[in-house]
Amino acid sequence: MSDTSPANGPHPQILLRFRDLAERYDGILCDIWGVVHNGVRAWPDACDALHRFREAGGRVVLITNAPRPSAPIREMLDGLKVPHHAYDDIVSSGDLTHAMLAERAGRKAFHLGPERDLGVFEGIDMPLTGAADAELVVNTGLFDDTTETPDDYADMLAAFRARDVEMVCANPDVVVERGDELLYCAGALADAYEALGGRVLWAGKPHPPIYDEALARLATAAGRPVERARVLAIGDSLRTDLAGAARSGVDALFIASGIHGGELIREDALDLPGLEQSFRQADVWPRAVMSRLVW
């Protein structure tokens, strides 16, 4: 890998300091889990880097596949001590899910996921029912992600598929980092359902609607449209963050210590051959790579 390659092509730049790249951009779309925090505590260096970018005149929209509307996400960030000065706005997969459900108001829905995600139904005329009577499955994740795996849902998914029930996936992530653990998310269940031939509507990254909304919020924060060539997406997932950036025509900065850290960090150093192999296999090429986000 070199430091002279074009964006979204082989050989991304390896960075030690984000400030060496930051001046190329007017706006950032930054992932949360794996970049700003690990589900247990915030990363002060990452928060500082985003703050310094904003102090220099840039704007930051946090973009997350959390299956809850952005208001409770902000409360959670407050609890983790992520400072408000690190970002301008938040867009969540839950926001997009809420809009999808509003378009399907009146249908009987089965909520596949924990009670903490019920906010996606707020203000929508959508009666919740048992699995056998559902006309729609709203998948926000496993009921208990600390003890269950997608295999525990094989019979349920097969029954939905037999009735050709449509699924809305509120979080395309397959796994999420929580402390030192990786826990399954709604995307793992949606993948299993699609493998059975089930119909899935996807909210969140890497799909374009969440990027369109995030770019609109970025323009509002900046007080003017921000050219996509001047927007950088920061994230730790090949499947969602890098693929989503490529689909939306913006550059990407890959944070290797997130959900792929166990594969791509060796003895506290980047595994450069492993990085290149991973990018080739996924066919995604970021502008640059960092171990962690540091100014």
Side-chain angles (χ1 to χ4, degrees):
M1 296 189 181
S2 73
D3 61 359
T4 59
S5 303
N8 301 320
H11 311 304
Q13 181 179 2
I14 304 300
L15 287 179
L16 296 178
R17 300 176 302 272
F18 178 57
R19 62 177 175 266
D20 294 337
L21 184 68
E23 65 180 12
R24 297 184 183 184
Y25 301 100
D26 298 321
I28 287 175
L29 307 181
C30 188
D31 182 37
I32 301 179
W33 274 263
V35 178
V36 176
H37 69 73
N38 68 351
V40 175
R41 63 182 185 275
W43 300 123
D45 285 340
C47 296
D48 175 67
L50 297 177
H51 178 212
R52 289 174 182 269
F53 180 80
R54 292 185 68 242
E55 280 192 320
R59 293 293 176 261
V60 175
V61 172
L62 301 182
I63 178 171
T64 174
N65 272 351
R68 294 174 292 285
S70 53
I73 301 300
R74 186 182 297 271
E75 294 176 4
M76 185 204 65
L77 293 178
D78 290 345
L80 293 173
K81 309 301 183 186
V82 175
H84 288 186
H85 62 232
Y87 60 94
D88 293 279
D89 207 341
I90 305 170
V91 177
S92 74
S93 184
D95 293 333
L96 275 292
T97 300
H98 188 272
M100 287 182 177
L101 298 185
E103 294 173 353
R104 291 161 178 78
R107 296 172 68 176
K108 292 186 293 185
F110 175 73
H111 177 215
L112 175 52
E115 289 187 5
R116 65 176 180 267
D117 298 334
L118 285 171
V120 296
F121 298 98
E122 187 173 350
I124 299 173
D125 177 18
M126 181 166 281
L128 299 183
T129 187
D133 299 320
E135 300 170 318
L136 181 72
V137 180
V138 180
N139 169 19
T140 67
L142 288 68
F143 292 122
D144 186 350
D145 58 12
T146 64
T147 62
E148 296 177 327
T149 74
D151 291 340
D152 295 312
Y153 293 81
D155 291 343
M156 177 186 288
L157 296 179
F160 285 135
R161 176 65 187 95
R163 296 196 295 113
D164 192 29
V165 180
E166 185 177 60
M167 174 185 286
V168 173
C169 179
N171 177 1
D173 287 348
V174 173
V175 294
V176 68
E177 183 184 26
R178 186 177 297 162
D180 295 328
E181 296 181 280
L182 290 179
L183 305 178
Y184 284 106
C185 298
L189 298 176
D191 279 351
Y193 195 52
E194 277 197 336
L196 295 174
R199 294 180 292 130
V200 178
L201 293 172
W202 298 86
K205 302 175 289 185
H207 306 284
I210 194 168
Y211 288 91
D212 293 341
E213 178 63 23
L215 288 165
R217 302 278 187 95
L218 198 63
T220 298
R224 58 177 177 79
V226 181
E227 295 181 12
R228 294 192 185 215
R230 298 283 298 178
V231 175
L232 179 71
I234 303 176
D236 70 321
S237 170
L238 299 169
R239 167 191 164 116
T240 57
D241 297 309
L242 296 196
R247 292 183 189 184
S248 297
V250 300
D251 287 350
L253 168 62
F254 179 64
I255 303 300
S257 61
I259 62 170
H260 298 291
E263 312 155 31
L264 301 176
I265 303 290
R266 303 286 185 226
E267 299 180 353
D268 296 325
L270 292 172
D271 177 1
L272 298 184
L275 279 168
E276 184 152 2
Q277 182 179 8
S278 295
F279 296 150
R280 288 191 183 280
Q281 288 178 342
D283 194 24
V284 289
W285 297 97
R287 160 73 72 175
V289 177
M290 298 185 74
S291 176
R292 293 186 183 278
L293 183 59
V294 178
W295 182 252

